[in-house]
Amino acid sequence: MTGVTLSSALLDPRRKRILFRCWHRGLREMDLVFGQFADAELPTLSEVELAEFEVIMDEEDNDLARWILGTLPVPERFKTPLFERIAAYAPDFEQMTADMRRAAE
């Protein structure tokens, strides 16, 4: 859960760019959500889904984090099956933070 597990060797150039962007978002939390989603589903996304995914990825990380974590309502334009699939990859960040605190003690 800490880095790319999908090899880009067999991906077309568009998917390679998307995979890189997914793991280099700017917010580690969004790297984990988008990166895990890309590792699992990027090779099988249709062209239409890829286009929608790129639109979603163009949003600000802070907004995406709030929508995915449920602290802000998801805008109507993103209430789609694809966005729901992406959001399903969100780990339990509260548990991760608690585990990190315990490990640091």
Side-chain angles (χ1 to χ4, degrees), residues 9-103:
L10 299 177
L11 296 177
D12 62 77
R14 182 181 186 190
R15 283 179 169 80
K16 285 180 185 182
R17 282 190 305 276
I18 292 171
L19 180 63
F20 182 86
R21 285 182 64 199
C22 286
W23 280 109
H24 299 87
R25 298 284 312 161
L27 282 180
R28 186 63 182 150
E29 293 85 351
M30 291 301 92
D31 289 353
L32 293 172
V33 173
F34 281 85
Q36 290 179 88
F37 174 82
D39 283 355
E41 300 200 30
L42 187 60
T44 60
L45 292 179
S46 70
E47 292 299 314
V48 171
E49 290 172 319
L50 281 176
E52 181 183 347
F53 191 39
E54 289 174 314
V55 169
I56 292 168
M57 288 178 47
D58 285 342
E59 293 297 316
E60 293 292 325
D61 275 345
N62 289 322
D63 292 336
L64 287 165
R66 289 178 183 112
W67 300 332
I68 288 171
L69 298 175
T71 59
L72 276 181
V74 177
E76 286 299 319
R77 69 183 183 279
F78 293 129
K79 289 184 179 179
T80 66
L82 181 63
F83 190 88
E84 290 175 12
R85 283 172 37 210
I86 295 166
Y89 283 86
D92 183 350
F93 291 113
E94 289 182 25
Q95 183 61 47
M96 288 174 59
T97 303
D99 291 345
M100 289 170 52
R101 277 193 219 118
R102 277 194 297 279

